[in-house]
């Protein structure tokens, strides 16, 4: 695992945006780049930077197919807190991606299990995900793979933990009763099947999750720790998120990235 420690969240976003732009360059309609994407406050600035780069003519999403990580169960796609809305308002609607190429799980599907199986099949049809970008929850979850999710899991329905419900209630006016209890999410195995995985974490609230993911054991309690087994896993964090790493770990990653 590579761990890149940047000064602040702006530098994390700038790195992630440049990384994505560099990877998608040169792809064609016949061989599109397949990009896995998260929602949340962490990738917000990365999307803003990518939109800026698109407006400057430095990047195009015309030959990119995307698969979002997750979606709440029971929220209509027009609901202000649905991940559909987030993606269209903050990214897809502001760049040249073809609407049919932007895939997001349907949390309103009548048969949720079938929707998850369809999603996995569609990813396979495209030959798998080239680069999966993600964030992490305070409890170390990636996508909605809550603690004790199978590290081999694929796309499925997950019940959200109280910690996640409380943490995400900030988007629902602080009212936990408004936060859906379930979500559809790609599995840890789905993420690990991507050719590259880029996880972003910023702010001191993520420091424990970062420590457990980097220095802790490969363990289903902190699902981000599964990144340790990926041949091309990169964790990009800012100084506050690096706050609980031991001095030796911190120095190691700072040195090696010089
Ligand atoms: C949610 C999402 C995750 C995201 C996490 C952290 O639970 N399902 O994909 O990584 O929140 O969000 P934030 O970036 O807002 O801290």
């Amino acid at each position: 695992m590579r761990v890149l420690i940047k000064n602040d969240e702006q530098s994390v976003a700038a790195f992630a945006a440049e990384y994505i732009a560099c990877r998608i360059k040169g792809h064609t309609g016949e061989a599109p780049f397949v990009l896995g994407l998260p929602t949340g406050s962490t990738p917000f600035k990365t999307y803003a930077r990518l939109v800026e780069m698109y407006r400057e003519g430095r990047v195009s999403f015309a030959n990119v197919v995307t698969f979002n990580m997750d979606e709440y169960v029971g929220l209509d796609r027009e609901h202000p807190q649905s991940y559909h809305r987030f993606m269209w308002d903050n990214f897809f609607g502001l760049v040249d991606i073809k609407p049919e190429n932007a895939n997001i799980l349907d949390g309103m599907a009548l048969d949720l299990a079938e929707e998850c199986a369809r999603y996995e099949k569609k990813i396979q049809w495209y030959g798998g995900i080239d680069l999966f970008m993600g964030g992490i929850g305070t409890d170390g979850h990636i996508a909605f793979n809550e603690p004790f999710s199978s590290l081999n899991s694929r796309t499925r329905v997950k019940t959200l933990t109280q910690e996640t419900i409380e943490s995400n209630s900030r988007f629902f006016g602080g009212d936990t009763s408004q936060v859906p209890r379930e979500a559809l999410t790609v599995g840890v195995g789905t993420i690990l099947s991507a050719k590259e995985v880029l996880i972003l974490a910023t702010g001191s609230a993520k420091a424990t999750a970062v420590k457990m993911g980097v220095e802790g054991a490969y363990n289903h309690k902190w699902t981000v720790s599964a990144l340790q087994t990926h041949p091309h896993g990169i964790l990009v964090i800012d100084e506050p998120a690096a706050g609980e790493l031991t001095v030796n770990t911190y120095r190691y990653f700072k040195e090696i990235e010089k």
Side-chain angles (χ1 to χ4, degrees), residues 2 26 49 65 86 101 117 142-143 169 178 217 237:
R2 271 178 80 186
R49 183 72 200 113
V65 171
F86 176 95
N101 283 350
I142 44 174
S169 68
Q178 296 301 308
I237 61 179

Side-chain angles (χ1 to χ4, degrees), residues 38-43 69-70 72 83 134-138 141-144 164 167-168 170-171 206:
T39 54
S41 46
T42 312
M69 294 188 132
D70 44 19
Y72 289 114
Y83 287 173
I136 47 178
T138 49
H141 72 243
I142 44 174
F144 266 129
T164 297
S167 168
N168 290 5
R170 68 192 193 276
F171 300 113
K206 304 292 169 68

Side-chain angles (χ1 to χ4, degrees), residues 59-78:
V59 66
S60 165
F61 298 88
N63 297 320
V64 176
V65 171
T66 61
F67 284 91
N68 261 79
M69 294 188 132
D70 44 19
E71 177 59 286
Y72 289 114
V73 168
L75 288 196
D76 184 87
R77 61 180 59 195
E78 292 308 322

